[in-house]
Amino acid sequence: MAETVKELTEKLVRCRSVTPSDAGAQDILENFLKNSLKAPVTEHLDWENTRNLFIHEDRPGKVFCFLGHTDVVPPGDIKLWKHEPFNVTEDGGRLYGRGVADMKGSDAAMACAMAEFRSLHPDAGVSLAYLVTSDEEGKGTYGIKKVIEEFRERQQRIDCCLVGEPSSSKLVGDTIKNGRRGSVTAEITFHGTAGHVAYPDKIHNPVHDLVKAAHLLTEAVWDRGNDFMPPTSMQIPNIKGGVGVNNMVPESASMEINWRYSSETSAAEIRKRTEEILASCSDRFEAEWDLSGEPFLSTDGLVLEAAKAAIKEIQGFDPLLSTGGGTSDGRFMAKICPDLIELGPTNGSIHKIDENIGKDELDVLERIYLRLLENLFAS
Ligand SMILES: [Zn+2]
């Protein structure tokens, strides 16, 4: 008989899959899903040190994909854990273990919901798919980002996607992430003419140019956000300039700027406006840009509607829609499948010592996922 969601989670947590290692976790999921789906096709999209498992049915109708990751962040100092990190321990109504929340618990709940859906609705007209990577917590170069490049090339169809990342705050389903802000960073260097401060006509101080530009950039309004996303915000986390003495100006000064931007603007637009401001302050600057994630937003997708209804039926409340928090692999998938949300267990202890969730969360999550699939494909 197939494992329960708790048993499957236990098996996964026992794999010491500290990013980007998989340590056998994907084999466990593959075995489980091979026996649960209808004539599934299994693909191992592995590159370098990263394993990616894509297992899917090949049927007429839409393709619904669950997206997850089998890697976890390191446990940190094991002596500080109340219970062994690579094991699931129940204590005081909670389940402890590295990855129970982020996100082996939801990997298991997604797999179990798919299996249950297929046994209850063997003829439902949908292809169920499951995609997991072993590098979400690390650099992710060969993870979902690369898989999506591959999917784009071969025009892999995915119509609907649910990412099981821990989105909830106090109770399972109280928060759905229906988008994420984008993130872009610029490293800006101003050049001047170094020299003695007593001879202002012979020097050009790049620190002054930098301060002027920093002021204009912090005053700029990038957009006003929208109903789902706050306005774009920028921060200057680092400034470097000066040689440490009070009688000399440096040749160069630099600052690093990061924007968290809404879907009302784009990295290209931010870059254009920033470089105009920089050019108004100096004619000798360089700007190096690093785009780490584009924003995405789903406001009226089918998955979002089905999830809201499933949460209402099972938990009895309406979820909050949020675009807060950092980036996730959802940003890559959203490029080929805009009908996408993130919905998973509570996230209060993720990446911490004694990572834990409520002991009923896995069952509730599995039921929500199952109901969501039924709302979409079995009515
Ligand atoms: Zn995660």
Side-chain angles (χ1 to χ4, degrees), residues 211-317:
V211 168
K212 191 177 164 200
H215 174 71
L216 292 173
L217 289 164
T218 51
E219 295 285 292
V221 176
W222 303 91
D223 59 58
R224 306 202 176 272
N226 53 39
D227 285 353
F228 297 94
M229 289 193 185
T232 295
S233 68
M234 64 142 283
Q235 293 292 328
I236 303 174
N238 294 296
I239 284 188
K240 275 181 262 164
V243 291
V245 294
N246 70 357
N247 59 2
M248 183 186 165
V249 308
E251 189 280 324
S252 68
S254 62
M255 63 179 163
E256 191 177 39
I257 309 181
N258 177 268
W259 288 260
R260 293 299 159 116
Y261 65 101
S262 80
S263 50
E264 297 296 304
T265 186
S266 66
E269 178 65 22
I270 288 172
R271 178 175 182 164
K272 183 170 157 276
R273 285 190 57 194
T274 299
E275 292 190 350
E276 279 167 12
I277 290 172
L278 298 175
S280 75
C281 302
S282 165
D283 48 15
R284 287 172 64 203
F285 70 86
E286 290 144 23
E288 253 177 63
W289 292 85
D290 181 23
L291 174 64
S292 54
E294 286 169 52
F296 71 90
L297 183 64
S298 166
T299 55
D300 55 1
L302 297 174
V303 184
L304 180 62
E305 290 313 311
K308 280 158 66 179
I311 291 165
K312 182 87 181 172
E313 284 166 67
I314 285 161
Q315 293 287 63
F317 52 69

Side-chain angles (χ1 to χ4, degrees), residues 170-233:
K170 297 235 155 40
L171 296 167
V172 179
D174 63 7
T175 310
I176 294 176
K177 298 242 156 115
N178 65 325
R180 295 269 190 168
R181 287 181 298 170
S183 173
V184 60
T185 300
E187 174 78 36
I188 293 156
T189 305
F190 292 92
H191 294 281
T193 307
H196 199 297
V197 296
Y199 300 92
D201 52 327
K202 294 200 168 65
I203 57 177
H204 181 99
N205 191 344
V207 176
H208 292 186
D209 295 340
L210 182 149
V211 168
K212 191 177 164 200
H215 174 71
L216 292 173
L217 289 164
T218 51
E219 295 285 292
V221 176
W222 303 91
D223 59 58
R224 306 202 176 272
N226 53 39
D227 285 353
F228 297 94
M229 289 193 185
T232 295
S233 68

Side-chain angles (χ1 to χ4, degrees), residues 10-84:
E10 281 166 348
K11 278 191 170 181
L12 294 172
V13 171
R14 268 184 236 126
C15 303
R16 293 170 180 257
S17 57
V18 172
T19 188
S21 163
D22 171 63
Q26 292 183 13
D27 295 336
I28 293 168
L29 290 164
E30 183 182 339
N31 281 334
F32 179 90
L33 289 168
K34 264 186 175 164
N35 295 321
S36 311
L37 299 180
K38 269 202 157 180
V41 180
T42 303
E43 290 184 63
H44 296 281
L45 301 156
D46 300 345
W47 295 280
E48 304 286 328
N49 56 5
T50 305
R51 295 193 70 195
N52 301 292
L53 170 69
F54 183 49
I55 179 160
H56 59 99
E57 296 173 331
D58 196 1
R59 298 162 62 86
K62 288 190 170 175
V63 179
F64 181 99
C65 186
F66 280 112
L67 175 62
H69 61 85
T70 45
D71 59 328
V72 292
V73 294
D77 186 349
I78 292 179
K79 291 196 292 291
L80 297 177
W81 283 70
K82 259 199 276 187
H83 307 285
E84 215 226 307

Side-chain angles (χ1 to χ4, degrees), residues 69 102-103 136-137 165-166 351:
H69 61 85
D102 188 10
M103 60 170 281
E136 193 276 340
E137 301 287 7
E165 288 280 4
H351 295 205

